[in-house]
């Protein structure tokens, strides 16, 4: 099957080809005809499956059937990064047309967004908070709205956006086409889907366009105080860069950035304490190769799409198995392969067990050869970590049960 088979506007097919897409991904094969026919869609799919083109291409095709420049499509995203990425993709797919796509999210000035809205827009890509601000100022006219896409609905729920979404949906025309995409479907999302979708077609894409088998998962058990040393040693191995590193908190992201910068790595941090300009610059610098390493927190990295990340490294285990899947999904995009590496302190083992249960498989434990696992914690840290349960009284048995084994070739 090729993109010609969908009978999409020739200008769209040309742009898709220019982007290098040859074969439609499974979600595109399933979704494009349904959206062209005007159906509502409830899609179980993650970012990384080709979802943006799956809903974006038929939306663009339908918009090209008439000429008015009014807000006819609204796409809602939980994060600024995902909104920026959807905007970027839609602009690429519509580059041979006159359709206008406007991103509207927080952290940047209102002026250009208000000007953009005044000039006329076909597709608005927005995060809920900033959209509500514009709505309260009266700068958004929904009277021509035809289609709404709610992307990463489960993340919207996690981030507390459900009340905002209800407020937005109350203002939208009842006659419309609606799509909801989510990786998981907890009860509040099912309830929301019932409220906003009419006779939806269900689409399930269990796997990302590259199968999860393309990712090699490895866990390095290590005492908490040796994580900085171990990550430095791992990053010095061959073929590890570019790498995306996740920490549990913004503070730990900043701290690790300082440590690795001092060790000579070209590294940038991405988290929600950064201004929007800093976040854009961080992503752009990482994508362009100016930085080899990006250290990020979960929220900031949600949904971002960067080609060529060879390693995702969990400096800290994520709080939930779903976050592990999302984090590691940042590698092995499309047809590439990737490695997911996790540094696990003893106190984090319980989180790893939850991840393994969720994935229905156990993840390989390794030890890095020639790494000195026996360096004791500084006195002050030991006392502190004992109090916080990081190492605890079983430190000795931990060392003996994690003697280095024969390492894999590519760490
Ligand atoms: P998405 O799930 O929309 O974030 O897409 C994930 C990645 O796959 C993006 O880098 C897209 O540009 C890319 N992609 C989407 N559709 C295709 C396709 N049919 N062939 C190759 N790459 C694609």
């Amino acid at each position: 099957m090729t993109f010609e088979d969908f009978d999409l506007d020739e200008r769209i097919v040309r742009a898709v080809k220019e982007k290098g897409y040859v074969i439609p991904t499974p979600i595109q094969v399933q979704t494009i005809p349904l959206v062209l026919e005007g159906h509502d869609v409830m899609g179980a799919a993650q970012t990384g499956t080709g979802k943006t083109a799956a809903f974006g291409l038929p939306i663009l095709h339908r918009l090209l059937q008439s000429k008015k420049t009014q807000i006819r499509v609204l796409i809602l995203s939980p994060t600024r990064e995902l909104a920026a990425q959807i905007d970027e993709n839609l602009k690429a797919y519509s580059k041979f047309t006159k359709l206008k796509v406007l991103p509207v999210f927080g952290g940047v000035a209102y002026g250009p967004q208000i000007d953009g809205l005044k000039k006329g827009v076909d597709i608005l890509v927005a995060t809920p908070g900033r959209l509500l601000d514009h709505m309260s100022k009266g700068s958004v006219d929904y009277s021509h709205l035809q289609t709404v896409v709610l992307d990463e609905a489960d993340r919207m729920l996690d981030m507390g956006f459900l009340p905002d979404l209800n407020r937005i949906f109350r203002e939208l025309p009842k006659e419309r086409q609606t799509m909801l995409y989510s990786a998981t479907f907890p009860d509040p999302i099912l309830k929301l889907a019932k409220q906003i979708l009419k006779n939806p077609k269900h689409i399930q894409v269990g796997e990302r366009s590259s199968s999860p088998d393309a990712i090699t998962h490895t866990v390095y058990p290590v005492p908490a105080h040796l994580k900085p040393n171990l990550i430095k040693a791992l990053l010095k191995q061959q073929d590890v860069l570019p790498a995306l590193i996740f920490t549990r908190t913004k503070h730990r992201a900043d701290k690790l950035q300082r440590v690795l910068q001092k060790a000579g790595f070209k590294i940038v941090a991405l988290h929600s304490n950064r201004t929007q300009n800093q976040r854009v610059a961080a992503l752009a610098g990482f994508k362009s190769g100016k930085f080899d390493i990006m250290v990020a927190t979960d929220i900031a990295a949600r949904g971002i799409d960067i080609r060529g990340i060879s390693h995702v490294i969990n400096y800290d285990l994520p709080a939930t198995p779903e976050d592990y899947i999302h984090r590691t999904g940042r590698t092995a995009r499309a047809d590439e392969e990737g490695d997911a590496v996790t540094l696990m302190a003893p106190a984090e083992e319980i989180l790893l067990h939850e991840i393994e249960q969720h994935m229905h498989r156990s993840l390989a434990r390794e030890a890095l050869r020639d790494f000195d696992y026996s360096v004791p914690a500084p006195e002050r840290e030991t006392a502190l970590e004992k109090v916080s349960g990081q190492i605890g009284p079983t430190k000795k048995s931990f060392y003996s049960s994690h003697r280095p084994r024969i390492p894999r070739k590519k760490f």
Side-chain angles (χ1 to χ4, degrees):
M1 178 147 207
T2 69
F3 283 96
E4 269 94 0
D5 299 327
F6 296 118
D7 280 333
L8 291 165
D9 189 288
E10 172 277 327
R11 288 164 285 180
I12 300 173
V13 178
R14 202 166 5 126
V16 164
K17 274 192 187 153
E18 197 165 287
K19 194 123 173 56
Y21 304 175
V22 180
I23 300 165
T25 64
I27 193 172
Q28 289 161 1
V29 172
Q30 290 182 57
T31 311
I32 292 174
L34 293 175
V35 179
L36 285 174
E37 284 166 18
H39 290 288
D40 279 11
V41 170
M42 178 152 148
Q46 299 178 18
T47 296
T49 49
K51 182 166 47 113
T52 316
F55 64 71
L57 303 184
I59 280 179
L60 293 170
H61 176 88
R62 288 178 58 130
L63 287 177
L64 288 169
Q65 309 307 302
S66 65
K67 271 204 170 122
K68 54 188 164 209
T69 308
Q70 312 271 11
I71 301 173
R72 288 181 286 162
V73 176
L74 171 65
I75 299 175
L76 290 162
S77 140
T79 64
R80 298 163 188 182
E81 280 74 18
L82 182 61
Q85 206 166 282
I86 295 170
D87 170 64
E88 197 182 301
N89 278 317
L90 293 181
K91 283 194 168 105
Y93 304 146
S94 61
K95 68 183 278 197
F96 298 117
T97 75
K98 293 204 167 93
L99 293 172
K100 289 209 177 97
V101 188
L102 181 74
V104 161
F105 48 73
V108 290
Y110 281 88
Q113 296 180 355
I114 293 171
D115 289 348
L117 286 165
K118 273 194 193 136
K119 275 190 205 138
V121 176
D122 295 289
I123 304 180
L124 202 56
V125 186
T127 52
R130 180 58 70 96
L131 181 65
L132 279 168
D133 287 350
H134 283 292
M135 285 165 65
S136 67
K137 289 188 172 75
S139 16
V140 187
D141 172 12
Y142 288 127
S143 54
H144 296 85
L145 192 81
Q146 300 166 356
T147 303
V148 183
V149 179
L150 186 58
D151 205 3
E152 298 207 341
D154 49 353
R155 199 56 173 187
M156 296 268 194
L157 173 72
D158 291 349
M159 293 173 72
F161 281 142
L162 236 40
D164 284 356
L165 290 178
N166 285 325
R167 286 171 59 201
I168 294 167
F169 272 92
R170 270 204 297 273
E171 304 300 319
L172 304 182
K174 300 277 168 288
E175 268 315 304
R176 56 165 202 255
Q177 178 183 32
T178 312
M179 292 175 242
L180 180 149
Y181 294 93
S182 198
T184 57
F185 285 85
D187 285 343
I189 296 300
L190 290 175
K191 196 172 152 214
L192 176 73
K194 248 196 188 143
Q195 286 165 359
I196 64 172
L197 300 172
K198 275 191 208 142
N199 303 322
K201 298 283 179 191
H202 292 257
I203 288 171
Q204 172 115 32
V205 180
E207 299 194 347
R208 299 150 13 108
S209 49
S210 58
S211 90
D213 295 342
I215 305 177
T216 308
H217 300 262
T218 314
V219 179
Y220 287 83
V222 63
H225 72 279
L226 290 182
K227 280 191 177 186
N229 289 1
L230 183 62
I231 198 155
K232 276 188 266 179
L234 288 172
L235 289 169
K236 281 179 188 153
Q237 305 271 306
Q238 259 182 0
D239 302 331
V240 180
L241 303 174
L244 175 60
I245 305 179
F246 286 95
T247 59
R248 200 174 44 239
T249 63
K250 300 169 206 171
H251 175 68
R252 281 175 69 78
D254 284 337
K255 202 167 151 192
L256 184 62
Q257 185 193 16
R258 285 195 295 276
V259 168
L260 293 180
Q261 222 156 27
K262 221 168 151 190
F265 291 101
K266 291 187 280 175
I267 177 169
V268 68
L270 182 77
H271 57 64
S272 52
N273 271 6
R274 295 278 148 111
T275 65
Q276 184 59 21
N277 281 346
Q278 286 171 327
R279 288 160 72 164
V280 169
L283 261 178
F286 187 51
K287 281 187 184 179
S288 71
K290 183 175 162 201
F291 302 105
D292 293 328
I293 303 170
M294 184 158 82
V295 54
T297 53
D298 287 287
I299 294 234
R302 178 80 180 190
I304 58 169
D305 175 38
I306 302 167
R307 283 289 168 106
I309 296 179
S310 69
H311 284 69
V312 166
I313 303 180
N314 297 305
Y315 187 67
D316 300 313
L317 267 104
T320 68
E322 285 79 13
D323 280 333
Y324 182 86
I325 306 290
H326 282 290
R327 282 182 180 189
T328 55
R330 299 307 110 212
T331 185
R333 311 287 288 175
D335 288 332
E336 296 160 6
E337 297 200 337
D339 280 61
V341 172
T342 301
L343 278 61
M344 180 185 69
E348 293 175 310
E349 197 149 5
I350 185 156
L351 295 171
L352 185 73
H353 286 154
E354 283 173 15
I355 291 165
E356 291 179 321
Q357 268 173 359
H358 184 85
M359 294 174 73
H360 304 292
R361 58 181 281 197
S362 63
L363 305 183
R365 270 75 160 168
E366 303 251 346
L368 187 67
R369 194 156 49 175
D370 298 331
F371 181 77
D372 188 357
Y373 282 86
S374 65
V375 176
E379 261 321 298
R380 194 175 54 85
E381 204 169 311
T382 312
L384 251 178
E385 289 188 339
K386 266 187 183 157
V387 172
S388 67
Q390 286 277 299
I391 295 182
T394 57
K395 203 168 90 187
K396 219 174 183 166
S397 56
F398 172 80
Y399 289 136
S400 50
S401 65
H402 292 94
R403 286 254 176 273
R405 295 191 321 232
I406 301 164
R408 290 189 312 134
K409 249 221 162 98
K410 209 172 96 183
F411 81 80

